[in-house]
Amino acid sequence: MNGFFAREFYHNTVGNWVVSLLIILGAIVVGKIVFWISNKFLKKLTAKSSSKLDDIVIDMIEEPVVFAIAIAGIWFGLERLHFSEGLDNWLTKIYHVMIAINITWFIARFLDAIIREYVIPFTEKSETDLDNQIIPIVRKGVRTVIWVVGIIVALNNAGYDVGALIAGLGIGGLALAMAAKE
């Protein structure tokens, strides 16, 4: 059996592949355990407080934390393997993109929850219908801006030149503003 784990497969031993796979699976299991603990204990603990903010933070952070644990497990699992320099650079870029997307996901979820829990009830108390029409537009606009910035940061972290993309967005915004002028 020891000879089987010593065999090389894509410049790594089968034993190294198995250990890396176990690290990745272990991280996913740890992420699920963290999610379960959050649902069982943390949410009950924050429900006892008078503020909604701690409930929102726990609810919005639990899934990105699980994803971050999975990302870390994948990173540590693959980091112990030996790949070509090109594949190593490509994996590093993907890792940086995944981190930026995860952070963007959390920020978008958190701000959307704040708008939903605090701003919308405030606007429902007013007598005008204008704020009821503006809030969905603002909510979608905030979400869009966060995701656009997050994707630009992710691409920049991956090593891509985003200057042309930013210039294109500026020109597109100018064209949209001119079209909406009337």
Side-chain angles (χ1 to χ4, degrees):
M1 193 68 156
N2 205 11
F4 173 74
F5 288 114
R7 287 186 184 174
E8 281 212 12
F9 186 67
Y10 288 113
H11 308 294
N12 294 289
T13 64
V14 173
N16 283 342
W17 283 103
V18 169
V19 169
S20 293
L21 182 62
L22 289 175
I23 290 171
I24 293 169
L25 290 176
I28 292 171
V29 169
V30 167
K32 290 290 188 179
I33 290 170
V34 167
F35 187 76
W36 181 78
I37 289 171
S38 172
N39 279 329
K40 280 286 192 193
F41 302 110
L42 289 178
K43 284 187 179 179
K44 289 180 183 176
L45 191 68
T46 59
K48 294 177 182 177
S49 70
S50 61
S51 172
K52 281 188 195 177
L53 187 59
D54 55 353
D55 298 328
I56 293 170
V57 169
I58 293 297
D59 194 36
M60 293 301 117
I61 202 172
E62 67 185 355
E63 290 173 6
V65 165
V66 170
F67 188 55
I69 292 170
I71 291 170
I74 291 168
W75 176 256
F76 287 120
L78 294 179
E79 184 67 23
R80 62 183 323 281
L81 297 174
H82 302 287
F83 297 113
S84 67
E85 188 176 334
L87 183 58
D88 237 2
N89 289 337
W90 188 74
L91 288 172
T92 302
K93 288 178 182 182
I94 288 177
Y95 180 70
H96 288 127
V97 167
M98 288 172 55
I99 290 172
I101 295 297
N102 193 31
I103 292 169
T104 303
W105 182 34
F106 166 68
I107 292 170
R109 284 172 52 105
F110 182 71
L111 289 178
D112 192 50
I114 294 293
I115 291 170
R116 186 178 63 241
E117 293 294 327
Y118 288 108
V119 177
I120 290 176
F122 180 73
T123 60
E124 288 174 348
K125 293 176 184 175
S126 70
E127 295 178 10
T128 63
D129 288 336
L130 181 62
D131 52 0
N132 293 340
Q133 294 171 358
I134 291 177
I135 290 299
I137 295 169
V138 168
R139 194 171 167 188
K140 287 178 185 174
V142 166
R143 230 181 301 153
T144 302
V145 167
I146 290 170
W147 277 107
V148 166
V149 170
I151 290 170
I152 289 172
V153 168
L155 290 174
N156 188 40
N157 286 344
Y160 294 103
D161 182 24
V162 294
L165 179 64
I166 292 172
L169 288 174
I171 292 170
L174 181 63
L176 186 66
M178 296 302 276
K181 189 175 178 183
E182 305 246 326

